[in-house]
Amino acid sequence: MKAAVLHAPGDLRVEEVPVPEIGPGEVLVRVQAAGICGSDIGRVMVTGTYAFPTIPGHEFAGEVAAVGDGVAHLAPGDKVAVAPLMPCGACEWCAAGKFSLCDTYDFMGSRSDGAFADYLKAPARNVLKVPDSVSFEEAATIEPAAIILHGIHKLNLRLGDAVAVVGCGALGYFALQFAKLSGAYPLIAIDVDEDKLALARQVGADLCINPAKEDAVAAVRAATGGRGVAIALECAGSAPGRDLSILVTAKQGKVMLYGTAYGDVTFAEKAFARMVREELEVVGSWNSYSLPFPGKEWFDIIALLAEGRLKVGPMITHRAALEEAPAIFKALKARTFGPYHKILFTPQG
């Protein structure tokens, strides 16, 4: 089969490799759509995977090609999404249903082979059927959407809460939709990219702010009666994004940090002072798993997609063949790829 194989940081090659062999309790999935996550860019081009060679890719959907002994809930031909986390199932965190905190987890695309390939094998419990009405492309975005919903489940977001989403890339796109579905008002999108703000308007943002063009803190205060937002969802993964999330939040409000840091994190003095003096609750959220495995988040999103209440189509801007992967990753790292929201590898290209 064809696969994009990482041999070292920055050394991604499209090669012919053997189709994975499955054993009891495993499923062979024919990949039909695999998305590039923001974390994949750093993983492929800078830090590398945990061992080499490895096939990256963890946001994906496909079709069941074969099932191993003991797999009764799936059959060849089923349309499926796949949760990439493979927890040990034996530690205290797994016993508590907090699978993201597993002491010895495995993960497709970084610790084990992932989805930038024609086929992938997965434990049967990680493989979820999706309705025929949900496309492969939509199903491939369940994983990043579930990351956002996992965090929102921690926040007790209530009808009428003012919410700001800072950073409106793929994660921010879903954060806006889940906040809207939860009754957020006003729903405020903040980004320096006008294309991303335009997409935010499509999914219901009541106010879009470009901090490169206006005072974002003043604009948020004006929209919230001088208070600031009850909840800020930080999806930018940058120091300015973290500081701004704090500065737009009301006294005793909540700041949810999703964005990944690739170096030491510091806060502006003014932001740190607000965090302490105004008693903000700063919450971290990582990954997307809960009970029943792989998580309520996954099952809720499948239902929302089936009902047409969660919109994915506008976010998918590029489709490519797997052969293009090395060039695309080089362009993404060099920031020469051009405007995009979500890039998918598909068999059709």
Side-chain angles (χ1 to χ4, degrees):
M1 71 172 185
K2 184 170 53 188
V5 183
L6 188 67
H7 291 268
D11 184 7
L12 186 68
R13 312 174 202 169
V14 177
E15 302 173 337
E16 287 292 327
V17 300
V19 174
E21 295 183 3
I22 60 171
E26 294 182 326
V27 176
L28 183 67
V29 177
R30 182 181 296 109
V31 179
Q32 297 291 346
I36 296 178
C37 172
S39 68
D40 287 330
I41 302 169
R43 178 77 66 193
V44 169
M45 300 303 297
V46 181
T47 63
T49 48
Y50 287 84
F52 299 107
T54 306
I55 301 170
H58 61 271
E59 300 179 0
F60 67 102
E63 181 180 77
V64 173
V67 298
D69 291 343
V71 179
H73 71 289
L74 296 164
D78 285 344
K79 182 184 290 186
V80 293
V82 182
L85 181 79
M86 295 178 283
C88 73
C91 69
E92 63 177 304
W93 300 106
C94 288
K98 300 181 185 298
F99 303 105
S100 298
L101 303 180
C102 174
D103 288 331
T104 57
Y105 69 89
D106 199 350
F107 200 87
M108 300 173 201
S110 60
R111 297 169 186 258
S112 294
D113 283 338
F116 294 163
D118 291 335
Y119 294 90
L120 171 145
K121 72 173 181 178
R125 72 170 183 163
N126 288 61
V127 182
L128 306 178
K129 289 177 67 172
V130 297
D132 289 339
S133 60
V134 177
S135 71
F136 287 116
E137 293 187 352
E138 290 172 322
T141 69
I142 293 172
E143 195 271 347
I147 287 172
I148 293 297
L149 191 55
H150 180 73
I152 285 180
H153 282 169
K154 297 173 181 283
L155 292 174
N156 190 29
L157 198 166
R158 297 172 299 181
L159 182 70
D161 278 347
V163 173
V165 175
V166 180
C168 298
L171 293 182
Y173 175 82
F174 286 119
L176 287 161
Q177 291 193 71
F178 289 130
K180 191 76 172 182
L181 288 166
S182 300
Y185 185 82
L187 177 58
I188 302 170
I190 303 176
D191 203 291
V192 297
D193 187 326
E194 290 293 338
D195 287 339
K196 291 178 180 176
L197 292 178
L199 199 58
R201 291 186 187 95
Q202 287 188 42
V203 293
D206 300 300
L207 175 64
C208 290
I209 299 171
N210 185 333
K213 297 180 177 180
E214 62 179 309
D215 184 333
V217 176
V220 170
R221 298 281 170 182
T224 57
R227 293 183 299 277
V229 296
I231 293 172
L233 304 173
E234 192 282 308
C235 302
S238 67
R242 285 185 286 269
D243 286 340
L244 187 55
S245 298
I246 292 165
L247 293 171
V248 300
T249 300
K251 294 176 181 180
Q252 293 196 323
K254 298 178 182 179
V255 179
M256 172 62 72
L257 299 180
Y258 289 107
T260 300
Y262 294 100
D264 291 344
V265 172
T266 59
F267 294 101
E269 182 181 358
K270 187 176 181 180
F272 184 79
R274 282 186 53 81
M275 202 186 323
V276 174
R277 294 174 66 89
E278 299 193 358
E279 298 185 344
L280 303 188
E281 184 177 344
V282 180
V283 184
S285 183
W286 186 76
N287 238 307
S288 58
Y289 301 91
S290 64
L291 289 170
F293 185 83
K296 183 176 186 298
E297 302 88 336
W298 287 75
F299 298 109
D300 285 350
I301 290 166
I302 290 171
L304 288 169
L305 288 170
E307 295 163 6
R309 299 174 65 200
L310 186 66
K311 305 298 182 185
V312 171
M315 182 183 67
I316 300 170
T317 53
H318 293 77
R319 297 161 181 84
L322 199 56
E323 289 87 349
E324 301 174 69
I328 287 174
F329 273 96
K330 287 178 182 177
L332 290 172
K333 182 176 185 293
R335 299 182 181 273
T336 59
F337 187 83
Y340 73 97
H341 295 299
K342 176 60 70 175
I343 304 166
L344 293 180
F345 294 118
T346 69
Q348 298 78 27

